[in-house]
Amino acid sequence: MPLKDRRILLIITGGIAAYKALILIRRLREKRAAVRAVMSSGAHNFLTPLSVSAVAGAPPLDDLFDPRDEHDVGHIRLSREADLIVVAPASADFMAKMANGLADDLASAVYLASDKPVMVAPAMNPMMWQHPATRRNMERLKDDGVAIIGPETGEMAESGEAGMGRMSEPEDIAKAIEVFLFGTETKTPLAGRSVLVTAGPTYEPIDPVRYIANRSSGRQGYAIAAVAARAGADVTLVSGPVSLPDPRGVNVIRIETARAMADAVEAALPADIAIMSAAVADWRVQMEGGEKIKKEQGAPPPSLSLVENPDILKTVARHQTHRPDIVVGFAAETEKVVEHAIAKRQRKGCDWIVANDVSPGTGIMGGSENAVHLITENGVEDWPRMDKEAVAVRLVTRLADCFAKQV
Ligand code: CTP
């Protein structure tokens, strides 16, 4: 029971999804966590302190200037005592406060006064979620190290409007909390396991100043590496050129070309799990010029002759001596996503494929969200569209479950 006796401070903010906070408290208490709730003033429009008190086993706190609360608990002590602060549901307004360091009520003061890990589960109208202000706040929160779970697509409870903004289900949030807290546990689900991740694009040089590349941002692979490290794994991340900081606790090896990635991956074996999320260039230029190619007056443009790059995933999945126990490939497709991915799983010899539709309209390639299908020997699972961090948490949880079953 990884959550046994862990202290979770749950901040409930205003929004129709607040009713799900009651289910979340239940799930966390079933896992033997100790939950203390703080209600923002907006949350009172949707929930009564009595119902929160009934499921949490202790009354929620909600007024910064209640002298009795300050005396009994104090917002500083409250936040320092927690192992984790969870904001669920997190309204657009509350996320804006968090991102800007406002602290004009107990809920926001608790956040600001704490140095504890924080996870938020956003819930709001799809238009609010898409608004540039919310996007900006989200990026700030991520930069501040806040973990985000969800939101997901679905119908909004209040308006029937469909779109991204529905709070993740309490069960998924509880699971994400477990994975998140593993990083601070001595017993962690991937402790003692080694995980090799590839991420980002590769650059294939044409001459010393030009190259062929693709639009991969590396975000999904970086999120997976970060979550696996928090779950206790010894993580090596072989990364193509991206503009992301090294995830905490991860051994990052930066390369440029597919061949360099292949060499780095080979050198990083053996590993228990390999997750190949890199968008490796399938081809490279046959004759890379030693000098910059010049435009000759009146001459036709140069033609590039391409040769195939090594298939890193296939090599790892069919490795004679060091095949990892679980090999996960990715399939970025623009049509017949699942069909192609099923064929790819066979062709490459990997155990799982995480397939996604990267057509330009989806905004997935280079974006912060992903909508994936997990293809395993048992069939196809369609996961709802969610933040890349949430995809990483779910994938790592699944991998940890596999090892748990083996023991
Ligand atoms: N991959 C790899 N090495 C390569 C090409 C791809 O390791 N040279 C890995 C990717 O990291 C990903 C998976 O293989 O996990 C799928 O890559 P993709 O380019 O979609 O596969 P291809 O076999 O090239 O198929 P397609 O014809 O769709 O390009």
Side-chain angles (χ1 to χ4, degrees), residues 86-98:
V86 177
V87 188
S91 63
D93 176 67
F94 195 75
M95 290 195 347
K97 274 185 172 178
M98 290 171 75

Side-chain angles (χ1 to χ4, degrees), residues 147-220:
I148 318 278
I149 166 121
E152 296 179 12
T153 34
E155 217 169 83
M156 300 294 110
E158 72 274 38
S159 60
E161 233 175 290
M164 172 79 83
R166 217 177 101 224
M167 188 171 92
S168 296
E169 291 307 317
E171 287 72 19
D172 292 333
I173 300 176
K175 261 196 179 166
I177 290 172
E178 260 181 314
V179 172
F180 189 81
L181 276 179
F182 287 144
T184 58
E185 288 274 329
T186 43
K187 175 90 182 71
T188 48
L190 287 180
R193 306 283 178 192
S194 49
V195 176
L196 169 61
V197 183
T198 66
T202 60
Y203 284 4
E204 305 299 329
I206 297 171
D207 67 17
V209 295
R210 304 181 178 95
Y211 57 82
I212 299 173
N214 61 63
R215 294 182 194 282
S216 169
S217 67
R219 280 191 195 167
Q220 187 61 79

Side-chain angles (χ1 to χ4, degrees), residues 198 258 276-282 309-314 328-333 344 347-348 353:
T198 66
M276 311 271 105
S277 72
V280 185
D282 287 320
N309 268 326
D311 190 322
I312 304 166
L313 173 61
K314 203 168 173 178
V328 184
F330 273 66
E333 309 286 349
K344 203 164 275 184
R347 197 166 68 237
K348 305 257 186 180
I353 285 264

Side-chain angles (χ1 to χ4, degrees), residues 2 16 79 84 118 138 205 207 238 243 357 392:
I16 194 82
S79 63
L84 174 72
V118 180
M138 280 285 294
D207 67 17
V238 180
S243 54
D357 183 347

